[in-house]
Amino acid sequence: MAEAVLFSLATNILESIATEIAKPGGSFASQKVQLLCSAKDELQSLQDTVQTIQAVLLDAEKKQWHDNQVKLWLRRLKYVLYDVQDLFDDVATENLRRKVTSGNKMSKAVRVFFSKSNQLAHRLRVANKIRELRKELDRIKSDKELSNLEQHLSEETIGRGKKPEVPSPDEKIIGREEDKKKIKQLLFDSSSSQSASFVAIVGKGGLGKTALARLVYNDGEVKEHFGLKMWVCVSDVFNVNVVIKEILKSAKDNCQERDDDEMKKLLQDLENKPIDQLPSLLREILGRKKYLLVLDDLWNEDRDKWLKLGDWLEGGLQGSKILVTTRSHKVAEVTDAKSVIHDLNGLSEDKSWNLFRKMAFGDGVELSNPELEETGRDIVEKCAGVPLAIRTIGGLLYGKNKDEWLRYKVRELPEIREIDEVDDGIMQVLKFSYDHLPSCLKHCFAYCSLFPKDHIYEKEMMTHLWVAQGFIESRNGEDNLEEVADNYLSELLCRSFLDIASKAVDGEVLTFKMHDLMHDLAQKVAGGECKIVNFKGEDNDSGIRHASFSSEIFSEEKMVSTSKLRTFLYLGGEYSVLNSSKVFSGCRHCRALGLDNTDIPLLPSSFGKLKQLRFLDISANQSIQSLPDSIADLVNLQFLKLIGCENLKTFPRDLRKLVKLMYLKIGDCDSLSHLPPLSELPSLRTLILLSLDALEFLQQTSDPEQSDTTRPFFPSLEKLSLRFCSNLKGWWGRKLVMGAYQKHRSDNSLSSFPKLWSVNIRGCPHLNFVPPFPQVEYLSTDSTKMLEQQLMVNPNCPSEATVGSTFIPFSKLKRLVLKGRDWEPSTLETLLRLASNLESMSLIECDLRSLSHGMQHLSLLQKLEIWDCEGLDLSCQEDEHGTQWRYLTKLHVLKIGYVQNLVALPEGIQYVTTLQSLEIYQCWNLESLPEWIENFSLLEKLVLYGCPRLERLPLEMRSLTRLKEMRIGNCPALKERYLTDGREDWPEIAHIPVIVWEDGSYD
């Protein structure tokens, strides 16, 4: 990784040394061999050397960009520190293997390996290696460059506390209202004689060209104007075939959103169509609609290359538009000499200051310190109206105290030139922000350069890779590293080094992306150590530690030369090129191995030498029928993913040796009918089983004695997800095994799943028994049988209540999502009675006539969502006094969507005076809002979408003085009434600060 990794690397080494020194006699010591006796002294000396070097690393990281001698010094140091860490990793691994193997029957070969004589030889080698590395570090420490560096003994750390609030991408956009209006006018202009005409947004990097194009692309009026919308990121490499395929993919996505069956039929099976058929298919698709195509981040200046694509874009209906974003006027002119160019300028001084203030201080914060404001305005001036620079440096300063601001002003800001003075000015600002990141964030950021520009990163995968590489620090040694990694990501998002691409319904980030300039910065700071390898050039790849391979050309010779790789990720190319054992021989030091979408054969010994491996992804591999036994030797493995291995049938018998495995995901393995005893994995925190159609039972043991009932049942499991396993019937395949489990629970007074807090069970219609999960806080399910079994005693599948446990089911449940049409009112009422601590509840596609009377027990409920419950009558006469609403004394958020019977809000809701957000979606028969809406005196947000019969708003809305925002979409009568005249003509809405209509316009 970049030199930024060295501070954390040194910290990791010091922790390892401290552990070794603390062991009785030293782990390398022996009273009979003098060299081993001196190992502890060598370790102490090594510790002193590393501490001395670590103290100046933070200063060296900054100076190396302007001092080539410091850069070379850091490079020497980096290689030695990696070797030191590898050594300690090897020692710890052998110790762990010995412990794991001692608990199982050992073969003769294993006994020889762990014999006293072999251990002695191993320790001699280790002691000698320590001495060699310590001497090399001493030479580096004595270099004259060290004396010119300042000492920094500590830096900012990030733990697992509350995550910072990450704004959505659109919330970061300030000051582009007029630009958006102008682009819309150009897109709606039909005066061109061409069937498809061009509009170009041109401006330097960081001005927000893509953000502006995205605002326009998502606009409601734009959606109505164009029958087909497509978005393609082109970036540096202009490959016509690739661009055509991406356009068709985007067209397919758009047709699915619009539910266009005819177009979907034309685009089905797109991935398997021959490349030579795609251009004519593109022309046919475009010829059916008036389309909008966005070509984002276009760099091609070769007219001939463009013509190869441009010819296929002709033929759309009159009024079709191609919107291009680029940094170059020449690029815009190459696409079409008649292109209408919109030059995007920097933000005005006032808008720049507003954006900076929002990023540096937060929304609605009034500045009372004139010194901070003066410093802030100096910074904004240097940013020259470039939003990316403003957001990044504002995010850096967020939460800093007055002294830190003044230090930036006096010592560091004078060194930064204004962006307009030099072409790479913005990179200086971004580099300034990068230099002030904690080291733990620096290498997470640089690691993202392993993927190409415009890549959409999966949060889960990236955080797992960060953990596997040791980038995530635990302040007390007990933190959940995945949670800390999630906080790291949130920090990078808040500081604008990364941007959100998509969120889940609950607001959790699912995917993220990286601005092109940020990607350039990541590549710069990563140097040649973190690289996308295509083997087409003559680059010297000997220094690579982290590599992704995207080329169809694969050089086995170069693979061998990168024998110290810590990351190997395969991103694409021909499957056959990876059919070589040399891939594994080049990965002996690998911590992350991604073989997704490869058919590489896995021999019995494939994983035998990958002893440092933490992350392994073997997905979409059709050649695997059985995982090799050697996978059980990966005692350091933390993350294992097996998706789409359709011929996989069996697992190794000794999977229990994976004592550090904390994440296991198995999905779409159609031939897999048996699983190993996963409950015996002591560190497993997350278990995801997805679309395993052949699986009937999760644990199917032929002999109950093989099931170790002396251990806790899934002692560390925190998250369980069972989804779309269509034939899954229960947990155990034999009643005898289940009986042994229940007797064990009775004898030991232990509950099952002692740490399990999140459960997601869907699409498993035959599942009728799961062991109780008394600690669950989040439950999402459509499994009525399973839930009924959890709620009551079943004679055939006795629950834990029958074997001496006294826990109350669902007493800790805080969030509940129920989906499906088979819920009995009595089951739901029983559940709600027990789940009295519930804070959030979602009812989705539930066949209920009325809300359950069990809601009277939900006095702590803060959020209620009701979606697509067709038969639900919220005004049902069974509850004419609004009983189910009166007890919701803490309800803050109410969302109702796709409820056809909703003509008016039920009277009972007027008693929910704590409501802060009311959102109504696609309730087509809603005719009016009630006069008693004035009871919602705390209401801050009101959303009305898809209510065509709603013609007016009640005058009583003027009493809602706290209402900050109202969003209205697809309500034509309201739009005609309130948007045609100024808001001052309508007293019911005159006081609302922000009104957003369906077309995205602000009032």
Side-chain angles (χ1 to χ4, degrees), residues 277-489:
Q277 293 182 13
L278 298 185
S280 57
L281 175 61
L282 176 63
R283 176 168 288 178
E284 182 178 359
I285 292 295
L286 298 184
R288 292 168 174 260
K289 303 281 186 179
K290 181 164 64 174
Y291 71 82
L292 169 65
L293 170 62
V294 178
L295 297 176
D296 184 38
D297 196 25
L298 192 61
W299 287 80
N300 173 60
E301 295 185 351
D302 188 328
R303 176 65 177 170
D304 292 335
K305 284 185 178 180
W306 170 256
L307 289 176
K308 292 178 182 179
L309 174 64
D311 289 345
W312 296 109
L313 299 180
E314 296 177 357
L317 297 185
Q318 189 71 28
S320 295
K321 297 288 182 178
I322 301 172
L323 178 62
V324 173
T325 70
T326 179
R327 299 184 197 177
S328 165
H329 278 81
K330 184 176 180 180
V331 170
E333 292 164 359
V334 162
T335 57
D336 193 305
K338 298 180 181 179
S339 293
V340 180
I341 295 177
H342 177 79
D343 285 303
L344 191 62
N345 298 315
L347 298 178
S348 66
E349 182 179 344
D350 288 342
K351 291 177 180 177
S352 295
W353 171 246
N354 289 339
L355 177 58
F356 176 83
R357 183 171 58 182
K358 179 178 181 178
M359 297 301 300
F361 301 101
D363 279 327
V365 177
E366 293 295 330
L367 284 181
S368 57
N369 189 318
E371 286 184 278
L372 289 187
E373 180 168 347
E374 181 184 355
T375 302
R377 290 191 178 275
D378 288 344
I379 294 172
V380 169
E381 184 178 354
K382 289 179 178 291
C383 292
V386 178
L388 179 62
I390 297 170
R391 289 193 286 111
T392 305
I393 206 165
L396 163 70
L397 294 171
Y398 181 80
K400 298 290 191 295
N401 59 40
K402 176 182 175 182
D403 291 339
E404 290 175 294
W405 276 66
L406 294 178
R407 178 169 61 83
Y408 289 135
K409 178 179 180 180
V410 174
R411 295 185 55 184
E412 302 188 50
L413 285 176
E415 299 179 7
I416 302 178
R417 289 172 288 180
E418 288 188 19
I419 287 177
D420 283 343
E421 292 183 12
V422 287
D423 292 338
D424 64 343
I426 186 171
M427 290 302 293
Q428 292 189 23
V429 175
L430 300 184
K431 180 63 170 53
F432 171 80
S433 299
Y434 168 83
D435 285 339
H436 290 84
L437 286 177
S439 288
C440 59
L441 295 184
K442 284 181 178 178
H443 44 251
C444 290
F445 168 72
Y447 195 80
C448 292
S449 64
L450 270 178
F451 297 85
K453 285 186 177 181
D454 302 318
H455 181 75
I456 300 297
Y457 301 81
E458 294 182 10
K459 182 192 80 169
E460 183 180 76
M461 178 182 179
M462 288 305 297
T463 53
H464 288 175
L465 288 171
W466 292 345
V467 172
Q469 293 302 331
F471 297 161
I472 309 304
E473 301 173 359
S474 172
R475 290 182 294 185
N476 56 14
E478 299 179 357
D479 287 338
N480 182 327
L481 295 181
E482 290 179 86
E483 291 182 7
V484 178
D486 200 17
N487 283 353
Y488 282 21
L489 176 62

Side-chain angles (χ1 to χ4, degrees), residues 508-527:
E508 280 294 306
V509 176
L510 295 176
T511 59
F512 62 91
K513 55 190 176 181
M514 178 180 277
H515 191 282
D516 283 352
L517 286 174
M518 283 297 183
H519 194 278
D520 291 340
L521 177 63
Q523 286 182 317
K524 177 180 174 65
V525 299

Side-chain angles (χ1 to χ4, degrees), residues 556 574-585 593 595 597-607 610 616 618-628 630 645:
E556 295 179 352
E574 297 292 336
Y575 294 156
S576 59
V577 296
L578 291 181
N579 290 347
S580 171
S581 60
K582 292 186 178 181
V583 170
F584 294 100
S585 65
L593 180 59
L595 299 175
N597 282 299
T598 68
D599 273 342
I600 183 169
L602 299 181
L603 303 175
S605 60
S606 292
F607 299 105
L610 308 184
L616 178 60
I618 313 173
S619 295
N621 188 323
Q622 308 310 317
S623 67
I624 303 177
Q625 294 188 10
S626 176
L627 282 182
S630 59
C645 299

Side-chain angles (χ1 to χ4, degrees), residues 970-989:
N970 197 19
C971 300
L974 286 184
K975 182 177 180 180
E976 183 178 356
R977 180 181 179 90
Y978 294 106
L979 194 58
T980 51
D981 300 319
R983 71 164 67 190
E984 62 277 1
D985 296 329
W986 305 105
E988 54 266 43
I989 64 171

Side-chain angles (χ1 to χ4, degrees), residues 564-790:
K564 291 190 176 182
L565 280 180
R566 290 184 164 218
T567 301
F568 180 108
L569 299 177
Y570 188 69
L571 303 182
E574 297 292 336
Y575 294 156
S576 59
V577 296
L578 291 181
N579 290 347
S580 171
S581 60
K582 292 186 178 181
V583 170
F584 294 100
S585 65
C587 295
R588 293 186 180 184
H589 293 279
C590 249
R591 293 176 171 225
L593 180 59
L595 299 175
D596 191 8
N597 282 299
T598 68
D599 273 342
I600 183 169
L602 299 181
L603 303 175
S605 60
S606 292
F607 299 105
K609 296 182 179 180
L610 308 184
K611 54 187 177 181
Q612 295 182 10
L613 202 63
R614 269 81 167 167
F615 173 99
L616 178 60
D617 184 355
I618 313 173
S619 295
N621 188 323
Q622 308 310 317
S623 67
I624 303 177
Q625 294 188 10
S626 176
L627 282 182
D629 289 341
S630 59
I631 201 171
D633 295 328
L634 304 177
V635 292
N636 286 311
L637 194 64
Q638 297 170 313
F639 306 96
L640 177 58
K641 301 181 182 182
L642 296 160
I643 307 295
C645 299
E646 297 178 358
N647 297 308
L648 178 63
K649 296 179 180 178
T650 60
F651 276 75
R653 290 173 294 178
D654 289 335
L655 205 65
R656 70 185 72 179
K657 290 165 61 177
L658 301 180
V659 293
K660 288 192 175 182
L661 188 67
M662 56 187 183
Y663 177 97
L664 176 60
K665 184 174 184 179
I666 309 172
D668 294 296
C669 299
D670 298 339
S671 302
L672 189 63
S673 59
H674 293 77
L675 293 174
L678 302 177
S679 60
E680 297 180 2
L681 294 170
S683 300
L684 190 64
R685 287 179 173 170
T686 300
L687 175 60
I688 301 173
L689 302 178
L690 175 68
S691 298
L692 303 178
D693 292 337
L695 189 67
E696 294 186 2
F697 300 97
L698 297 181
Q699 293 189 218
Q700 192 167 27
T701 311
S702 58
D703 181 357
E705 295 302 322
Q706 292 182 14
S707 184
D708 188 352
T709 58
T710 64
R711 299 179 181 179
F713 188 70
F714 283 100
S716 302
L717 194 67
E718 297 177 359
K719 298 181 181 180
L720 172 65
S721 182
L722 306 175
R723 288 178 287 161
F724 307 109
C725 298
S726 57
N727 292 303
L728 187 62
K729 298 176 181 177
W731 205 275
W732 288 281
R734 298 188 63 193
K735 291 184 179 180
L736 191 59
V737 179
M738 189 173 71
Y741 155 78
Q742 290 170 341
K743 182 177 184 301
H744 164 58
R745 290 295 168 262
S746 178
D747 293 343
N748 294 277
S749 299
L750 294 174
S751 63
S752 55
F753 302 121
K755 295 184 179 180
L756 183 64
W757 66 268
S758 174
V759 176
N760 186 346
I761 300 178
R762 291 191 180 184
C764 304
H766 304 295
L767 182 63
N768 56 26
F769 178 73
V770 176
F773 27 80
Q775 307 298 324
V776 67
E777 295 181 9
Y778 167 75
L779 174 63
S780 177
T781 185
D782 63 357
S783 179
T784 56
K785 292 181 181 179
M786 181 279 300
L787 191 57
E788 288 170 357
Q789 171 264 317
Q790 293 280 328

Side-chain angles (χ1 to χ4, degrees), residues 204-237:
K204 60 189 174 186
L207 279 177
K209 299 182 295 294
T210 298
L212 174 58
R214 182 68 67 182
L215 273 180
V216 173
Y217 187 82
N218 292 330
D219 182 88
E221 287 186 342
V222 170
K223 181 178 179 180
E224 290 181 6
H225 186 81
F226 294 100
L228 177 65
K229 294 194 309 171
M230 298 154 292
W231 181 291
V232 176
C233 295
V234 183
S235 202
D236 299 354
V237 180

